[in-house]
């Protein structure tokens, strides 16, 4: 049985850390990260201000990402998942394969929309997001004004599109909460969903 969950987030919202911790707690769990599908810098468009437009779908090989997800769904047992069960895993979940897809632009890409069981979206207020972004090293580095001129406006644009889509069921999570609190909530939610699927 397959279970797919998607973790979307504002930049530096904590999605990668959350995904890695969940992987260690869930049976037969695999992660696919959207960051692995960025086009090389030379193929990313530049706007009139000289900003590289990384926070748009055109900066990513989305077709390849969809292919990777579908390949996992066809053959999850061959994806290199750990077969040793995490402690405290319920017996009735041992034959479940779980895929976590994490990224920053997942819910605005139509070909992915029918693939997931659960959607989570980690949010952060502007000041905290900007502070976290400033502590990270990027290649290429953020030019002056890049966060305010490109990153944050694109986040607001995509989040607004998502909120306007009445058919999209998304669980919004407060990224300022502790990792332990977020992990506990999402883990419990997934187990609850898995149990529903098995009933």
């Amino acid at each position: 049985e397959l279970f797919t969950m998607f973790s979307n987030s504002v930049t530096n919202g904590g999605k990668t850390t959350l995904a890695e911790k969940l992987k260690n707690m869930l049976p037969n769990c695999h992660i696919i990260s959207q960051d692995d599908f960025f086009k090389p810098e030379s193929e990313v468009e530049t706007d009139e201000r000289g900003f590289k437009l990384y926070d748009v779908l055109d900066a990513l090989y989305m077709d390849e990402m969809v292919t990777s997800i579908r390949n996992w769904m066809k053959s999850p047992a061959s994806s290199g998942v750990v077969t040793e069960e995490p402690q405290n895993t319920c017996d009735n979940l041992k034959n479940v394969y779980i895929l976590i897809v994490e990224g920053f632009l997942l819910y605005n890409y139509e070909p992915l929309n029918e693939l997931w069981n659960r959607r989570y979206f980690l949010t952060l207020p502007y000041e905290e997001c900007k502070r976290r972004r400033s502590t990270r090293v990027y290649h290429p580095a953020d030019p002056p004004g890049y966060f305010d001129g490109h990153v944050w406006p694109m986040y607001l644009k995509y989040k607004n599109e998502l909120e306007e889509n009445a058919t999209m069921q998304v669980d919004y999570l407060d990224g300022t909460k502790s990792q332990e609190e977020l992990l506990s909530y999402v883990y419990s939610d997934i187990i609850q969903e898995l149990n529903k699927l098995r009933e």
Side-chain angles (χ1 to χ4, degrees):
E1 189 162 348
L2 306 181
F3 182 86
T4 53
M5 60 158 285
F6 289 68
S7 171
N8 202 100
S9 169
V10 63
T11 178
N12 295 284
K15 61 191 174 299
T16 305
T17 305
L18 182 62
E20 290 290 346
K21 288 185 175 181
L22 283 167
K23 181 181 177 182
N24 292 331
M25 295 174 69
L26 293 164
N28 302 318
C29 188
H30 183 64
I31 298 173
I32 290 176
S33 173
Q34 192 173 36
D35 284 357
D36 293 337
F37 298 90
F38 270 114
K39 294 176 180 176
E41 187 183 355
S42 60
E43 292 183 36
V44 176
E45 287 187 38
T46 305
D47 71 6
E48 66 279 358
R49 299 163 296 182
F51 290 158
K52 284 283 183 183
L53 303 180
Y54 277 105
D55 287 54
V56 297
L57 285 167
D58 284 345
L60 296 143
Y61 292 121
M62 290 303 295
D63 287 348
E64 289 185 17
M65 186 175 184
V66 172
T67 299
S68 292
I69 293 168
R70 291 196 179 277
N71 285 342
W72 178 87
M73 294 177 82
K74 284 179 202 164
S75 184
S78 64
S79 63
V81 295
V82 179
T83 52
E84 182 182 332
E85 302 299 331
Q87 289 184 337
N88 304 323
T89 298
C90 305
D91 286 342
N92 67 336
L93 300 182
K94 289 190 175 180
N95 295 320
V96 175
Y97 288 89
I98 299 170
L99 178 66
I100 300 173
V101 180
E102 59 98 355
F104 69 105
L105 274 180
L106 295 173
Y107 306 143
N108 308 77
Y109 189 64
E110 194 63 37
L112 287 175
N113 281 346
E114 79 278 11
L115 298 180
W116 40 57
N117 296 97
R118 294 292 286 151
R119 303 177 186 93
Y120 303 96
F121 193 116
L122 282 151
T123 64
L124 282 177
Y126 167 83
E127 290 294 345
E128 176 61 13
C129 186
K130 189 170 185 177
R131 184 193 68 76
R132 291 189 192 183
R133 178 93 182 189
S134 70
T135 66
R136 293 276 295 275
V137 177
Y138 288 92
H139 301 286
D142 285 354
Y146 188 68
F147 181 85
D148 289 314
H150 176 60
V151 176
W152 188 253
M154 285 297 99
Y155 161 65
L156 293 180
K157 174 181 181 289
Y158 286 116
K159 186 166 179 281
N160 287 340
E161 285 177 8
L162 186 56
E163 289 169 342
E164 287 168 9
N165 185 346
T167 63
M168 187 81 75
Q169 288 188 307
V170 178
D171 201 342
Y172 291 92
L173 307 176
D174 180 356
T176 63
K177 290 186 175 177
S178 71
Q179 277 290 330
E180 291 73 22
E181 197 172 349
L182 291 168
L183 183 64
S184 174
Y185 172 80
V186 176
Y187 176 78
S188 298
D189 191 53
I190 292 168
I191 295 299
Q192 193 174 349
E193 285 297 309
L194 285 167
N195 285 329
K196 280 184 199 170
L197 284 174
R198 302 308 294 268
E199 286 173 3

